Amino acid sequence: MKAFLTFTIILCFTIITQAQDLKTTNEITSLLKDNGTLSKLHYPQSVIRFYTGNNSEYAWITPEKSDQPETAMLLLEYSYRFGLSLSDYHWDAISLQKLRKLRDTPVEENQKEKAEFDILMTDALITFINNMHLGKYNPLYKSSYIDSNDINGFRSDHILLNARQQTDFLKTILEVQPKIKEYTDFQNYLNTLYEEDDCIAPQRESEKIIINMERLRWIDTHDTSYILVNIPSYTLKLYHQDDVFDFKVIIGKPNTKTPVLSSSIHYFTTAPDWKVPQSIFIKEMLPKILKSPQYLENHHYSVYDKNGNQVEISSSKLKEIRQNPYRYSIRQSSGCDNALGAVVFRFDNSYGIYLHDTSQKQLFSKDERALSHGCIRVENAKELAALLLKNDGLGNKIPVLENAMSEYKRKDFVLKQPVPIIITYLTCLITDGKPVLYKDIYHLDDSLENMFNQNK
């Protein structure tokens, strides 16, 4: 009789628990079908996928003893330490105090309120993860696209589900941050700053750090070897495992900006000839040629027709070129005064720009070097080329490279492992543990600062 009574009690408890679990599931499922609820979410499809993976059960309002919910809430509360804004994470509807209150409420009470809170907290965490990894104002991906698509193998709902299964929930979430050194420098600086009696940086400095951390979140690289060109600091850094090599560069003038992009260098060429872009030929060179035909010979330029045939210059031909300039092109042969110098580094991009040596070495002594038509000129290009060969396991080809450059012999050097090149726009960097601000030469900061300030 006693055994039967015990069995009956256990059975009743099981039935009650299952009924409560079913009620929870029904509340979550019902709310995720409600347009009013979905309209409040930043990433509704991601939230739906998350709860599908979680069997439509509460993720945070759970009776189990776990520090994950409070850790997750504190992470949101301290979002400013990552250059992010608490207002993006439903802080008008969720809080640590409310989480504790709802968790202490009897399981069968306030089911709808608990479900609403749980869903909003999930959306807040998914938003935080997306903001940390991809940035809030990523020009490549709108939030609706991120919500519906796999971005290079990344899905925030998968990250959050996985984090809940790990012993170190916090570490798993923070792992989504960019690994690029410039970003980790910013994050380490903020961590140190806020650990010192919760002090903050001057407002201008803080704004610069926030917008430049955002830009670095737009860069997708996990490579240990890459080239980073920073436009405002006129610098190129070659990262190879634990080594960093610094170079000065010349970048595009404000009216012929060097674009922000990511690509890979597959090869470089010594003693290149230069096919002059049509815009430069027509706007800048043609007036000089018409004024003095000797300009072509003095600078080792040749003119070609649309079929690629070299044309001889005469007064009648110059008249024809002036009337129909788009039928002609101009090239500069290789040599010591070639605009591309002794080596050019090619990488795919839609802007038609490249990285190259230059015959005008004296320009690197200038502090402000926004002087080109958009391409990037690098000081000590031979050293950069030699490092790329060495890092690629082709150090034996360095003497061949040096000979080809010194004697202006055309030769392609193909890398076994292409090197990523990132051209970015960072108006602030951490140097020797302190923020250094750079001139906003293309005036790109204001619009991004305004976006963040509107949502402080």
Side-chain angles (χ1 to χ4, degrees):
M1 183 68 182
K2 185 177 180 181
F4 177 76
L5 183 60
T6 302
F7 172 77
T8 303
I9 292 171
I10 293 172
L11 181 62
C12 290
F13 178 78
T14 302
I15 292 171
I16 291 169
T17 303
Q18 287 177 343
Q20 289 170 348
D21 289 344
L22 182 61
K23 177 110 171 88
T24 299
T25 301
N26 287 342
E27 287 291 355
I28 295 285
T29 303
S30 176
L31 286 173
L32 291 179
K33 290 180 179 178
D34 177 62
N35 289 333
T37 300
L38 294 177
S39 67
K40 298 175 185 177
L41 307 182
H42 302 307
Y43 296 93
Q45 297 305 312
S46 299
V47 172
I48 290 170
R49 289 194 301 270
F50 173 85
Y51 281 103
T52 299
N54 200 51
N55 300 317
S56 296
E57 296 174 356
Y58 292 152
W60 318 108
I61 308 294
T62 58
E64 293 86 8
K65 294 292 183 181
S66 170
D67 60 358
Q68 277 189 11
E70 293 203 3
T71 299
M73 193 61 73
L74 286 169
L75 187 59
L76 296 174
E77 190 169 342
Y78 284 90
S79 55
Y80 65 90
R81 291 189 176 215
F82 303 92
L84 298 170
S85 175
L86 186 57
S87 60
D88 291 325
Y89 308 116
H90 300 298
W91 211 247
D92 56 336
I94 63 174
S95 67
L96 183 57
Q97 291 75 16
K98 191 170 183 180
L99 170 69
R100 289 169 174 168
K101 180 181 177 182
L102 289 173
R103 290 183 72 187
D104 292 341
T105 304
V107 176
E108 68 278 3
E109 294 182 14
N110 303 330
Q111 291 280 6
K112 184 175 181 181
E113 184 182 1
K114 289 177 179 177
E116 288 176 342
F117 183 98
D118 208 87
I119 288 170
L120 286 176
M121 186 169 166
T122 296
D123 186 59
L125 288 164
I126 282 173
T127 303
F128 180 79
I129 290 168
N130 282 329
N131 289 352
M132 288 268 281
H133 184 72
L134 296 167
K136 183 179 176 183
Y137 301 109
N138 195 314
L140 298 177
Y141 308 115
K142 301 294 183 185
S143 59
S144 57
Y145 184 86
I146 295 170
D147 196 24
S148 303
N149 293 274
D150 180 311
I151 311 294
N152 299 319
F154 175 85
R155 273 194 189 274
S156 52
D157 50 291
H158 291 175
I159 298 292
L160 189 56
L161 280 167
N162 178 54
R164 294 186 70 245
Q165 306 304 316
Q166 306 304 315
T167 53
D168 196 334
F169 173 86
L170 181 61
K171 180 182 178 182
T172 306
I173 298 295
L174 296 183
E175 279 291 315
V176 306
Q177 294 183 95
K179 304 300 188 294
I180 194 167
K181 183 179 183 298
E182 283 70 16
Y183 182 92
T184 57
D185 284 347
F186 279 130
Q187 191 57 73
N188 290 338
Y189 175 77
L190 289 181
N191 289 341
T192 302
L193 195 69
Y194 286 116
E195 283 168 5
E196 296 174 356
D197 299 324
D198 214 35
C199 65
I200 59 170
Q203 182 179 351
R204 191 64 184 151
E205 194 175 277
S206 297
E207 288 176 347
K208 293 295 184 183
I209 290 172
I210 288 169
I211 64 170
N212 286 292
M213 287 180 79
E214 170 72 7
R215 286 177 173 136
L216 287 164
R217 292 179 180 123
W218 303 344
I219 298 170
D220 180 39
T221 183
H222 298 284
D223 297 280
T224 56
S225 295
Y226 60 92
I227 287 172
L228 184 83
V229 176
N230 184 37
I231 294 168
S233 61
Y234 310 109
T235 57
L236 179 153
K237 291 181 182 289
L238 170 62
Y239 290 94
H240 181 67
Q241 298 172 359
D242 295 327
D243 296 321
V244 185
F245 304 91
D246 297 284
F247 298 84
K248 290 181 179 180
V249 296
I250 291 168
I251 50 89
K253 294 175 281 190
N255 62 334
T256 54
K257 298 178 179 66
T258 295
V260 171
L261 60 85
S262 294
S263 187
S264 293
I265 295 175
H266 289 260
Y267 74 101
F268 53 89
T269 304
T270 55
D273 59 1
W274 180 38
K275 185 176 181 181
V276 180
Q278 284 296 95
S279 59
I280 299 176
F281 167 47
I282 294 170
K283 293 178 182 178
E284 299 182 27
M285 291 187 175
L286 187 55
K288 297 175 182 177
I289 295 168
L290 294 172
K291 184 177 180 180
S292 174
Q294 198 65 26
Y295 175 86
L296 291 167
E297 184 179 345
N298 291 343
H299 294 86
H300 306 288
Y301 291 116
S302 299
V303 179
Y304 296 81
D305 62 22
K306 61 182 181 180
N307 295 319
N309 300 313
Q310 187 173 348
V311 299
E312 289 191 21
I313 298 302
S314 62
S315 56
S316 59
K317 181 57 70 174
L318 282 175
K319 183 178 179 180
E320 187 179 331
I321 293 171
R322 182 179 61 187
Q323 292 173 341
N324 301 288
Y326 288 99
R327 293 183 180 179
Y328 297 89
S329 62
I330 187 170
R331 294 180 204 166
Q332 185 182 39
S333 60
S334 61
C336 59
D337 58 353
N338 184 282
L340 303 186
V343 63
V344 60
F345 305 84
R346 306 280 188 182
F347 48 91
D348 291 339
N349 66 92
S350 60
Y351 304 94
I353 69 159
Y354 31 84
L355 177 69
H356 63 88
D357 184 25
T358 179
S359 57
Q360 297 178 301
K361 310 289 187 185
Q362 73 280 4
L363 296 179
F364 290 107
S365 63
K366 293 178 175 288
D367 292 329
E368 297 188 4
R369 298 189 293 277
L371 305 168
S372 81
H373 290 90
C375 286
I376 303 159
R377 307 174 199 169
V378 60
E379 188 179 34
N380 301 324
K382 181 168 70 173
E383 180 186 346
L384 176 60
L387 283 168
L388 291 180
L389 289 176
K390 179 182 175 183
N391 296 343
D392 199 47
L394 299 172
N396 60 314
K397 291 190 176 182
I398 292 176
V400 180
L401 165 74
E402 293 174 341
N403 181 65
M405 289 183 68
S406 63
E407 297 189 9
Y408 290 96
K409 294 179 180 178
R410 184 179 177 89
K411 185 172 179 60
D412 290 335
F413 293 82
V414 180
L415 299 173
K416 293 183 292 185
Q417 183 63 45
V419 177
I421 179 168
I422 301 159
I423 304 172
T424 189
Y425 192 90
L426 304 173
T427 51
C428 178
L429 290 169
I430 304 298
T431 303
D432 297 326
K434 297 293 182 183
V436 176
L437 304 185
Y438 298 99
K439 183 178 178 181
D440 182 12
I441 51 180
Y442 293 166
H443 304 290
L444 301 182
D445 278 5
D446 288 349
S447 60
L448 196 51
E449 284 178 8
N450 289 338
M451 289 179 191
F452 276 96
N453 288 335
Q454 284 170 9
N455 203 27
K456 274 189 175 179

